[in-house]
Amino acid sequence: MKTLKTCLSGLALSVACATASAGEVEVLHWWTSGGEAAAINVLKQEMEAAGHTWKDFAVAGGGGESAMTVLKSRAISGNPPSAAQIKGLDIQEWGELGFLSPLDEVAAAGQWDSLLPQVVSDVMKYDGHYVAVPVNVHRVNWLWANPEAFKKANVEVPTSWEQMIEIGPKLKEAGYVPLAHGGQAWQDATVFEDIALAQGPDFYRKAFVEHDEATLKGDTMIKVFNTFRKVRDLIDADASGRDWNVATSMVINGQAAMQLMGDWAKGEFTAAGKTAGTDYICAPAPGTEGMFTFNIDSLAMFQQSDDSRIEAQQDLARLVMEPKFQETFNLNKGSIPARQGMDRTPFDSCAHASMDAFTASAESGSLVPSMAHGMSTSSRVQGAIYDVVTNFFNTSDMSAEDAVDKLARAVNASL
Ligand code: BGC
């Protein structure tokens, strides 16, 4: 079969030629909010422009838990999509089960090894072979703030958790929900890991990467849980089950003063036509200046038997690493390109801050994988942490001492 490239390099692109080489690519993802949909649409358009057919397989649900459940049932029934948004250690799990197809040829032709930071390429490889392609790098430890709220309440954007808790009553008096939040396990875990990170990258790593028992149930973790409980006072009574992007819109429309969320939240500000630095403020989550919890989104390829589908997969992987895609996707998504050496000019001040923090934190040892977003540990351990964290957050009768004990036991049991 002729490849699409061969067709395009001919004198004219005949319809027959394009049809013979075009393939269908079915892509499972959970990018359904305004900013997310704008971002994935960039890939759809590029694939269609290359002559392929895009079959969208969107499964709504922030953090991707529902999408992963649907993916498992499709794979078990022997009918996985060509590409799926899976990331972090989940890639290793799918690789071990033998579902993924290698991308080594595209990777070698595109020089991925020299274009990707090693912290990124390591995640994309299973057993030394590329099986996934990175679309971005998200920073999780961000605080998003509405400047108007801070002006009205006459308080400063907090740089420590003590300040964060202290300004709560003043923001409430000024008519704002201090912290917009959605009561879902992954969102609770996102806030929890921010508080843990403020205890330093070594503590964070010991707890969420190494799962050191003494750290999981030590005094510092007790302190983290106690702070976490106080943060709950900053949240409104209707937070239960609220989607993350609805929480972001509360900051955008001036109902709430802040949100703690990865920079996919910036995609929502962008989609609403807001400008970083004037309409909204991005600041490191309290106490985490110079640190960076990374969350890399990637598309992994599932083995297919049809030649045209295999070709479409390879083309998808190639296109994702092109500078044009990395720029346009990330401008919409709120993240920074995974590909190094990109022009920074089109990006805003928050993206510049993220790029600088990524480089600086890698040098200082403060670049850590996000636990809440599947980068630091297996989905089993992550699920165990989620359970304890979210139970603690939603009940008043569990002490921080009980919580750390439960945490250490739950993690140990799922290792
Ligand atoms: C993903 C992001 C996504 C967010 C909310 C995160 O786990 O990495 O790409 O925007 O969940 O759905």
Side-chain angles (χ1 to χ4, degrees):
M1 183 195 284
K2 279 184 177 181
T3 66
L4 192 61
K5 248 190 228 147
T6 321
C7 298
L8 287 168
S9 64
L11 274 183
L13 171 64
S14 75
V15 175
C17 178
T19 315
S21 54
E24 181 190 275
V25 67
E26 185 181 17
V27 183
L28 179 140
H29 61 91
W30 64 89
W31 290 321
T32 54
S33 75
E36 290 174 330
I40 188 67
N41 205 31
V42 174
L43 190 55
K44 174 179 188 264
Q45 281 168 0
E46 290 196 7
M47 283 299 281
E48 286 176 349
H52 301 295
T53 308
W54 178 273
K55 194 167 169 198
D56 202 53
F57 187 3
V59 181
E65 267 183 282
S66 312
M68 289 304 99
T69 307
V70 173
L71 178 62
K72 278 176 203 148
S73 62
R74 277 284 298 266
I76 288 165
S77 66
N79 179 29
S82 326
Q85 180 194 353
I86 49 178
K87 49 181 192 164
L89 298 194
D90 272 4
I91 297 175
Q92 304 304 313
E93 291 174 17
W94 284 103
E96 256 162 53
L97 292 170
F99 277 101
L100 303 184
S101 116
L103 294 169
D104 292 327
E105 266 179 46
V106 195
Q111 299 182 317
W112 293 8
D113 271 341
S114 58
L115 287 171
L116 293 173
Q118 199 185 334
V119 73
V120 178
S121 58
D122 279 353
V123 180
M124 301 302 127
K125 290 179 185 174
Y126 169 68
D127 198 21
H129 301 279
Y130 279 100
V131 288
V133 60
V135 295
N136 64 4
V137 178
H138 273 302
R139 185 187 192 189
V140 180
N141 57 316
W142 277 120
L143 176 72
W144 307 93
N146 180 313
E148 196 59 34
F150 282 81
K151 218 164 90 195
K152 273 206 188 142
N154 197 22
V155 290
E156 301 287 319
V157 175
T159 55
S160 70
W161 291 98
E162 290 74 19
Q163 283 171 12
M164 175 103 178
I165 289 151
E166 208 180 283
I167 61 173
K170 290 193 183 140
L171 288 164
K172 276 188 201 164
E173 260 167 50
Y176 294 91
V177 172
L179 187 67
H181 182 72
Q184 297 174 347
W186 74 271
Q187 294 190 57
D188 297 344
T190 300
V191 173
F192 182 76
E193 81 172 20
D194 282 344
I195 300 173
L197 182 64
Q199 297 301 321
D202 292 340
F203 167 79
Y204 181 99
R205 254 189 228 103
K206 274 205 163 128
F208 300 139
V209 181
E210 296 162 25
H211 308 312
D212 173 63
E213 196 178 350
T215 306
L216 287 170
K217 59 182 197 193
D219 288 348
T220 309
M221 194 60 90
I222 293 178
K223 197 172 148 196
V224 169
F225 273 101
N226 278 325
T227 304
F228 190 42
R229 175 145 292 153
K230 289 187 189 144
V231 166
R232 209 176 55 178
D233 295 339
L234 305 173
I235 295 167
D236 65 312
D238 300 327
S240 175
R242 179 188 286 142
D243 285 329
W244 69 272
N245 54 316
V246 175
T248 311
S249 70
M250 290 168 67
V251 181
I252 295 177
N253 66 30
Q255 218 182 317
M258 301 175 275
Q259 183 184 20
L260 286 157
M261 189 48 66
D263 44 21
W264 45 94
K266 201 185 74 178
E268 301 306 297
F269 286 98
T270 306
K274 304 293 181 192
T275 306
T278 48
D279 297 328
Y280 66 96
I281 293 167
C282 57
T288 71
E289 172 92 50
M291 304 175 201
F292 194 118
T293 19
F294 68 82
N295 171 24
I296 306 160
D297 285 319
S298 46
L299 294 170
M301 305 299 160
F302 281 75
Q303 282 167 16
Q304 302 287 312
S305 47
D306 179 88
D307 277 353
S308 68
R309 288 190 180 193
I310 295 172
E311 238 174 71
Q313 268 183 334
Q314 304 282 313
D315 241 11
L316 178 81
R318 184 184 57 78
L319 282 171
V320 163
M321 276 294 288
E322 291 289 324
K324 184 170 160 274
F325 170 80
Q326 293 268 329
E327 179 181 305
T328 322
F329 178 89
N330 285 299
L331 287 173
N332 285 296
K333 190 72 171 67
S335 36
I336 58 172
R339 183 182 167 121
Q340 288 182 309
M342 298 272 301
D343 180 9
R344 288 165 61 117
T345 329
F347 290 90
D348 62 20
S349 53
C350 298
H352 287 172
S354 181
M355 290 170 189
D356 293 342
F358 184 78
T359 314
S361 64
E363 274 161 23
S364 67
S366 315
L367 178 66
V368 295
S370 167
M371 173 276 293
H373 295 275
M375 297 285 130
S376 80
T377 188
S378 70
S379 50
R380 268 169 62 87
V381 175
Q382 186 196 37
I385 301 176
Y386 271 22
D387 285 349
V388 177
V389 164
T390 209
N391 281 338
F392 176 83
F393 205 52
N394 288 298
T395 47
S396 310
D397 54 3
M398 195 195 300
S399 70
E401 286 75 8
D402 284 348
V404 299
D405 198 48
K406 285 195 165 66
L407 182 69
R409 275 192 284 126
V411 169
N412 260 332
S414 49
L415 283 174

